[in-house]
Amino acid sequence: MADARIRKESWFSHTEHLVVMHGNRRVAEHAYRRRAVDEPGDIFSVTKSVPSTLVGSAVLDGRFRLEATVGELGSVRGFLRH
């Protein structure tokens, strides 16, 4: 269903790849706009979405507080590397 919408609707005109995972297994993959499945694509705002998701998860796990300073975050073992 997602594949059909990506191919048909202009809203998805910048979509280059679709990968569906179930657990650790890739169950479907498609490339669009004359791209190969293994060809790198533009990721636009994913570069902001993934880190914000990871930070949100770390806050929920109690790894640091939203009010923490950058100096305090640097002391969280394994979170920031120099």
Side-chain angles (χ1 to χ4, degrees):
M1 187 157 123
D3 178 53
R5 286 190 68 190
I6 290 169
R7 291 177 190 275
K8 185 172 96 173
E9 296 181 26
S10 63
W11 173 259
F12 298 106
S13 65
H14 294 291
T15 301
E16 296 175 349
H17 299 90
L18 171 67
V19 177
V20 179
M21 303 289 292
H22 185 264
N24 291 327
R25 218 176 97 230
R26 188 179 298 198
V27 295
E29 61 186 3
H30 297 281
Y32 306 93
R33 319 296 173 237
R34 298 185 206 158
R35 295 266 187 186
V37 172
D38 60 349
E39 183 180 350
D42 294 321
I43 56 175
F44 299 106
S45 292
V46 171
T47 55
K48 295 176 275 191
S49 302
V50 171
S52 64
T53 300
L54 295 174
V55 167
S57 179
V59 169
L60 287 175
D61 288 348
R63 292 179 185 244
F64 64 85
R65 305 173 336 279
L66 288 176
E67 301 82 18
T69 65
V70 172
E72 292 170 333
L73 293 176
S75 67
V76 178
R77 196 176 99 202
F79 188 76
L80 294 178
R81 305 241 186 251
H82 299 290

